[in-house]
Amino acid sequence: MLMVKGSPHENMYQVPFKNDMSGPLVSENLIGVVHDHFATFHLDMDIDGTDNSFVKVNLVKEETYPGQSPRKSYLKAERRVAKREEDARIKLNIYDPSEFHVVNPSKMSRLGNPSGYKVVPGANAASLLDLDDPPQIRGAFTNNQIWVTQYNRTEQWAGGLLVYQSKGEDTLDVWSKRYITR
């Protein structure tokens, strides 16, 4: 099914500024509106209990000292545990290589590492709308690709319960501004 809107033009020869159209003319007096869709996933993870933390692991380049190694540089992992939900908003960036872990710091493996999982993002996208555009305020969950919030059974839908009737007051963007107490 195509999302369309009316147009005064019956064919492309009548369109004075073709680059200003918001989509292609798909039939007489109808434009196929260019728009996007975003899918969200809600994961409720309890790893060996509910005392879980979100860890962003940044991969950083370290330089070697002359004569220290035949290598010029190597990668080092810098781990940052989110203290607030706002710290766990992740905007993926190809030039900021990172890993994302959900761990239980009070449950250790036999090697002394916290039990947990690595979250591996797949294909993703970002909204191109202005942050203060009404559809973007309602769909603010598209501002980041990963969000981590403390469980609250009333917060099941990233865009709020009634996203099309919302003014953005009941969304993941609002919920994630709380403080993580763990």
Side-chain angles (χ1 to χ4, degrees), residues 56-63 71 73-80 95-99:
K56 182 178 180 192
V57 182
N58 293 312
L59 303 177
V60 295
K61 180 178 81 168
E62 291 285 327
E63 305 278 332
R71 301 273 313 263
S73 60
Y74 61 95
L75 294 179
K76 179 179 170 184
E78 289 183 352
R79 292 167 176 76
R80 291 201 173 97
Y95 298 105
D96 179 22
S98 303
E99 292 183 353

Side-chain angles (χ1 to χ4, degrees), residues 116-175:
Y117 289 94
K118 180 170 146 180
V119 177
V120 182
N124 61 79
S127 176
L128 300 176
L129 298 178
D130 287 336
L131 295 177
D132 59 353
D133 196 356
Q136 188 61 32
I137 292 169
R138 290 191 305 266
F141 62 90
T142 63
N143 293 340
N144 299 294
Q145 289 79 39
I146 298 175
W147 301 71
V148 179
T149 62
Q150 196 167 28
Y151 179 76
N152 182 326
R153 68 184 210 141
T154 66
E155 299 171 353
Q156 300 282 322
W157 302 274
L161 181 60
L162 303 168
V163 67
Y164 291 111
Q165 297 159 354
S166 159
K167 290 187 174 41
E169 69 279 357
D170 181 32
T171 66
L172 187 54
D173 184 51
V174 172
W175 307 330

Side-chain angles (χ1 to χ4, degrees), residues 28-47:
E28 294 83 3
N29 304 106
L30 285 179
I31 292 175
V33 179
V34 175
H35 63 285
D36 50 23
H37 295 258
F38 292 88
T40 65
F41 300 92
H42 176 154
L43 305 175
D44 179 14
M45 301 177 75
D46 286 342
I47 301 167

